[in-house]
């Protein structure tokens, strides 16, 4: 009487052992394992690696700023550059499709780095989101051929720049600009120019921050609706009038 064969091969069955041995014989153990087969796949994984590196670096920069290891003057351009590099990488459609969104990327690669994640969600440096007065006792060298402008002249120029950025942004809305990659850079530039004039809060400033965060959460090609565009124009116009008031 023949013995009954098991329902499925066991780990010690001859067929299982033969399959495993055959599989190992086809895998070159002395060659580097690659994630990609084509140059397009290589570029994709390199870009994703850059995104990961930016998150790690940004987390370090955020913690250094909180601990006063780096100054405001050092932090702001570094953070702005990292945020810009992050946005630029995600403008690539292949990278954006693989990335999906920040939460999906975090889950896939088991990323923590809460300080960096929080800054990426806001999309602007902490010195822009929460402006502080310039550090006392610090002077910035100018070229010898360029005399230092007076404080009143510098303030007047900063106010003019901020006013121009208000007008530019409102004109963009009136020209039917609705995509994130059209509006977010202009609004970020406006917020930066406002902080160069005053670090005090004024009516409408909080709304600008809210819109910056909302736009930052969108994909580069996503567009706001007609109703949102109308509300955004109203909020910016209101902030402009409030800003003009504090200049008087």
């Amino acid at each position: 009487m023949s013995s009954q064969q098991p329902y499925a091969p066991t780990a010690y069955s001859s067929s299982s052992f033969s399959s495993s041995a055959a599989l190992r014989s086809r895998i070159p153990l002395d060659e580097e394992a690659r994630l990609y087969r084509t140059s397009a796949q290589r570029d994709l994984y390199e870009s994703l690696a850059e995104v990961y590196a930016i998150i790690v670096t940004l987390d370090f920069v955020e913690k250094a700023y909180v601990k006063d290891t780096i100054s405001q003057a050092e932090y702001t351009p570094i953070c702005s550059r990292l945020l810009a590099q992050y946005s630029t990488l995600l403008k690539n459609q292949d990278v954006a499709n693989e990335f999906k969104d920040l939460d999906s990327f975090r889950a896939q690669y088991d990323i923590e780095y809460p300080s960096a994640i929080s800054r990426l969600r806001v999309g602007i440096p902490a010195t822009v989101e929460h402006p502080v007065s310039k550090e006392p006792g610090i002077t910035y060298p100018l070229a010898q051929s360029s005399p230092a402008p007076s404080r009143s002249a510098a303030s007047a120029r900063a106010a003019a720049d901020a006013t121009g950025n208000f007008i530019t942004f409102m004109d963009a809305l009136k020209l039917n600009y609705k995509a994130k990659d059209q509006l977010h850079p202009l609004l970020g530039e406006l917020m930066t120019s406002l902080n160069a004039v005053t670090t005090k809060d004024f009516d409408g400033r909080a709304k600008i921050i809210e819109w910056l965060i909302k736009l930052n959460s969108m994909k580069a090609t996503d567009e706001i609706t007609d109703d949102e565009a109308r509300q955004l124009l109203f909020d910016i116009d209101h902030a402009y009038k409030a800003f003009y008031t504090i200049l008087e």
Side-chain angles (χ1 to χ4, degrees):
M1 181 178 179
S2 60
S3 60
Q4 184 178 2
Q5 293 293 327
Y7 176 73
T10 65
Y12 304 99
S13 66
S14 59
S15 60
S16 176
F17 177 79
S18 300
S19 299
S20 299
L23 179 61
R24 286 196 298 271
S25 66
R26 294 196 301 268
I27 300 177
L29 301 179
D30 59 341
E31 293 184 9
E32 179 184 358
R34 295 185 178 183
L35 295 173
Y36 54 84
R37 297 293 180 186
T38 66
S39 59
Q41 291 176 335
R42 180 195 61 195
D43 291 342
L44 173 61
Y45 282 108
E46 286 181 351
S47 296
L48 292 173
E50 290 290 342
V51 172
Y52 189 98
I54 287 172
I55 294 175
V56 175
T57 305
L58 184 58
D59 194 77
F60 176 82
V61 171
E62 288 292 306
K63 290 178 179 177
Y65 173 66
V66 171
K67 295 178 181 178
D68 273 338
T69 306
I70 60 176
S71 66
Q72 301 167 29
E74 294 172 316
Y75 164 80
T76 303
I78 294 174
C79 182
S80 297
R81 184 170 66 251
L82 289 171
L83 292 172
Q85 291 169 341
Y86 172 83
S87 299
T88 300
L89 286 167
L90 293 183
K91 285 182 179 180
N92 183 300
Q93 194 59 50
D94 292 335
V95 177
N97 291 338
E98 185 70 21
F99 181 84
K100 296 178 182 177
D101 54 59
L102 191 54
D103 289 331
S104 299
F105 191 75
R106 290 178 65 195
Q108 183 175 358
Y109 295 101
D110 193 23
I111 296 175
E112 293 298 332
Y113 305 113
S115 297
I117 298 302
S118 176
R119 185 56 47 207
L120 288 171
R121 292 193 191 284
V122 175
I124 53 177
T127 48
V128 177
E129 182 185 11
H130 306 290
V132 293
S133 59
K134 294 182 179 179
E135 297 166 314
I138 294 181
T139 58
Y140 300 94
L142 297 174
Q144 293 182 356
S145 59
S146 301
S150 65
R151 183 171 182 177
S152 59
S155 299
R157 179 171 181 175
D161 288 341
T163 300
N165 287 330
F166 264 118
I167 296 173
T168 298
F169 188 80
M170 289 189 287
D171 285 345
L173 288 173
K174 293 174 183 177
L175 290 172
N176 208 32
Y177 283 26
K178 294 181 181 179
K180 172 192 173 177
D181 59 357
Q182 294 174 322
L183 296 177
H184 190 273
L186 295 176
L187 196 57
E189 183 67 23
L190 169 59
M191 194 72 251
T192 301
S193 63
L194 288 176
N195 292 337
V197 178
T198 178
T199 58
K200 296 180 180 179
D201 196 11
F202 60 88
D203 194 19
R205 185 183 184 281
K207 280 292 183 182
I208 299 178
I209 296 294
E210 288 179 13
W211 279 108
L212 273 170
I213 296 174
K214 179 179 178 62
L215 290 170
N216 187 66
S217 66
M218 299 164 56
K219 294 181 180 178
T221 55
D222 286 349
E223 295 186 351
I224 59 176
T225 65
D226 290 340
D227 289 342
E228 288 173 330
R230 187 172 182 176
Q231 183 64 49
L232 176 54
L233 180 60
F234 174 84
D235 291 339
I236 296 300
D237 182 63
H238 178 75
Y240 174 55
K241 293 174 181 176
F243 172 74
Y244 189 80
T245 301
I246 68 173
L247 294 178
E248 296 177 350

